[in-house]
Amino acid sequence: MNRLDQIITTFDLGLRTVFASPHAARPYPGSGPEADLGEAERARAAALMRVNHVGEVCAQALYAGQALTAQNEQVRAELDQAAKEETDHLAWCEQRINELGGRKSLLNPLWFGGAFALGAAAGLLGDKWNLGFLAETERQVEAHLDGHLQQLPEADAKSRAVVEQMKTDEARHAQTAVDHGGAPLPSPVKWAMRLAADVMRQTASRI
Ligand SMILES: [Fe+2]
Ligand SMILES: [Fe+2]
């Protein structure tokens, strides 16, 4: 692809991620019966799933940035597989938000743009750091999802099933990035990433 094609493809992905409803290739993990949740529990679950949805909007952008910059064809193919699973996550989170009567973040265009810029910047540093950044992101997402499993209402088996499957997938994505040569990031970088993710979580839980 030439540069203009790449820009158009990315812009198209951004529009589809933010404004369209994606289709999952795999079955929805939360297909079981709906629990009888109280209003407050339902609102809490919807807010948590909105935060997860924002994470998946960012994953779309990050993987698009990676695909643009990955230098090795095999790495690109593996990342493509992970990116497809991220689309499942995006679709599942949206479906769950709808089932709970919640709404998506109003700032999704901003999240997409910011994550794409970060992904592309990491890509400029070469595959080793690019993949290291990806692995660390996936690990932090896995830990974050684990935290959500503590916070989601115990009875909300549908949200929990979605988050459980995402967590399993993110751990595999992290391993894929490491297997292809992702380097461990310096501690201050990991710390800054956690801080940025915290700001995103706090904001997305409200807006
Ligand atoms: Fe994901
Ligand atoms: Fe992932």
Side-chain angles (χ1 to χ4, degrees):
M1 274 201 282
N2 67 32
R3 190 58 73 188
L4 183 64
D5 284 341
Q6 289 173 343
I7 292 169
I8 292 171
T9 305
T10 305
F11 193 67
D12 177 62
L13 174 73
L15 288 176
R16 276 185 288 124
T17 301
V18 174
F19 297 111
S21 292
H23 293 284
R26 289 177 292 168
Y28 180 52
S31 59
E34 189 69 68
D36 189 16
L37 300 173
E39 200 163 321
E41 279 186 325
R42 184 174 277 269
R44 181 153 55 96
L48 291 170
M49 294 312 287
R50 175 164 67 243
V51 172
N52 292 333
H53 182 266
V54 165
E56 297 302 331
V57 166
C58 292
Q60 291 291 314
L62 269 186
Y63 274 95
Q66 305 275 335
L68 275 187
T69 50
Q71 282 145 17
N72 175 316
E73 265 315 308
Q74 200 199 338
V75 169
R76 199 192 299 263
E78 291 272 0
L79 293 185
D80 196 50
Q81 179 52 38
K84 287 198 178 92
E85 295 186 357
E86 301 297 1
T87 302
D88 290 346
H89 298 173
L90 187 72
W92 295 340
C93 285
E94 178 167 344
Q95 180 169 346
R96 190 61 194 137
I97 288 172
N98 290 339
E99 288 170 350
L100 289 163
R103 61 159 179 81
K104 297 190 279 184
S105 170
L106 301 174
L107 300 178
N108 276 340
L110 197 74
W111 303 128
F112 185 93
F116 180 79
L118 261 182
L124 294 176
L125 300 173
D127 278 351
K128 175 181 152 193
W129 296 113
N130 193 16
L131 290 167
F133 175 69
L134 193 61
E136 179 59 25
T137 305
E138 294 282 11
R139 268 192 226 106
Q140 290 192 13
V141 174
E142 188 196 350
H144 152 86
L145 291 173
D146 205 42
H148 271 198
L149 287 172
Q150 323 287 324
Q151 295 173 57
L152 277 166
E154 201 56 55
D156 187 2
K158 285 166 79 78
S159 298
R160 302 182 78 84
V162 169
V163 170
E164 285 278 10
Q165 184 58 53
M166 281 165 48
K167 185 172 161 253
T168 303
D169 294 344
E170 314 303 13
R172 197 174 53 254
H173 298 163
Q175 194 54 50
T176 300
V178 170
D179 291 347
H180 285 87
L185 301 185
S187 294
V189 176
K190 291 187 195 176
W191 180 80
M193 287 167 70
R194 259 185 230 115
L195 192 73
D198 251 357
V199 172
M200 186 192 89
R201 267 194 292 270
Q202 301 277 349
T203 313
S205 68
R206 276 171 280 132
I207 309 173

